[in-house]
Amino acid sequence: AQRVTQPEKLLSVFKGAPVELKCNYSYSGSPELFWYVQYSRQRLQLLLRHISRESIKGFTADLNKGETSFHLKKPFAQEEDSAMYYCALSGRLTGGGNKLTFGTGTQLKVEL
Amino acid sequence: EAGVTQSPTHLIKTRGQQVTLRCSPISGHTSVYWYQQALGLGLQFLLWYDEGEERNRGNFPPRFSGRQFPNYSSELNVNALELEDSALYLCASSLGLYSGANVLTFGAGSRLTVL
């Protein structure tokens, strides 16, 4: 079974402070991890994926297989980062294809 | 290019009624996924269709069903509505089963309220 855990429902930080959104996963195979973001009144959209190893809007995330974590980080929070963030895991299904499992999400609130 | 489109955007039903939600994927995408986003529960996987066939199903009762049409659009049907079915229902699409694709593009959702 594949599972994604986001322990914080709400994370409140001040503008300019570092941000770390936690994500832990459980999966027996080799997973692919994603972060999706949902800004207010907008659609859920892909923020980044671990295989890309890129920084998007200043956010980075490193897959730590030893700790089964994929935390999302940004050194300096901006007001426009306020949104709902979902960690997701893609695992292979028997018979082909992938199943994307989402965590329960963390609401990030950046205060001035 | 049009994104994933869903209809209706909002609807209100009463307990025991039935509802049909519709989704059109991005052109070229053959896989369609349905998720339920209930308050405080995050995104719960409902159903996955690819090339007209149901490929995987989440932990939901049989009154949640759906289908995918030859043009790859999809319907989600919910029978005997219960209060706890009130949620935002999200549809997403991706390239097909054997493409190796696992990045989903989401629609804006259909907000269902059950009274």
Side-chain angles (χ1 to χ4, degrees):
Chain A
Q2 53 191 68
R3 183 174 298 165
V4 177
T5 303
Q6 293 180 253
E8 302 143 326
K9 284 192 173 181
L10 173 66
L11 181 64
S12 186
V13 301
F14 287 106
K15 180 181 175 181
V19 175
E20 183 178 50
L21 300 171
K22 291 183 166 51
C23 172
N24 288 91
Y25 67 90
S26 173
Y27 183 63
S28 56
S30 184
E32 187 170 355
L33 277 297
F34 304 80
W35 278 98
Y36 280 78
V37 61
Q38 190 169 28
Y39 300 102
S40 180
R41 298 187 180 86
Q42 293 188 28
R43 301 181 182 203
L44 189 63
Q45 58 187 285
L46 178 68
L47 179 63
L48 56 80
R49 54 195 302 191
H50 89 269
I51 62 171
S52 300
R53 302 182 68 82
E54 55 189 349
S55 174
I56 305 293
K57 299 184 179 183
F59 285 97
T60 59
D62 291 318
L63 179 61
N64 185 323
K65 292 187 177 180
E67 295 182 358
T68 59
S69 68
F70 188 58
H71 303 327
L72 183 67
K73 299 177 183 180
K74 184 171 182 176
F76 307 104
Q78 301 298 315
E79 192 179 359
E80 56 265 29
D81 295 330
S82 294
M84 189 71 163
Y85 291 81
Y86 290 95
C87 182
L89 179 154
S90 179
R92 296 292 297 176
L93 288 168
T94 303
N98 298 279
K99 177 182 176 181
L100 197 64
T101 299
F102 286 85
T104 50
T106 298
Q107 180 72 46
L108 174 64
K109 183 179 179 182
V110 180
E111 299 183 77
L112 300 175
Chain B
E1 177 186 288
V4 177
T5 57
Q6 291 186 245
S7 64
T9 54
H10 294 84
L11 68 167
I12 300 174
K13 294 285 188 176
T14 56
R15 287 179 59 188
Q17 285 189 310
Q18 178 265 345
V19 67
T20 297
L21 308 178
R22 296 176 177 82
C23 172
S24 292
I26 287 176
S27 177
H29 285 187
T30 62
S31 275
V32 171
Y33 304 77
W34 287 95
Y35 286 85
Q36 183 194 65
Q37 188 176 31
L39 197 62
L41 295 178
L43 284 157
Q44 304 293 316
F45 169 72
L46 269 163
L47 290 158
W48 168 34
Y49 292 95
D50 183 81
E51 294 287 355
E53 292 189 24
E54 182 180 301
R55 300 293 181 175
N56 199 253
R57 182 181 179 86
N59 189 25
F60 280 83
R63 58 191 186 83
F64 287 83
S65 65
R67 55 180 173 167
Q68 187 179 33
F69 298 97
N71 66 354
Y72 306 115
S73 67
S74 176
E75 283 183 354
L76 173 68
N77 298 292
V78 187
N79 294 321
L81 285 167
E82 300 179 2
L83 296 178
E84 53 264 35
D85 297 334
S86 294
L88 181 67
Y89 289 84
L90 292 174
C91 172
S93 72
S94 76
L95 294 172
L97 173 62
Y98 298 106
S99 70
N102 53 12
V103 175
L104 305 187
T105 301
F106 283 84
S110 292
R111 172 76 62 187
L112 171 65
T113 301
V114 182
L115 301 177

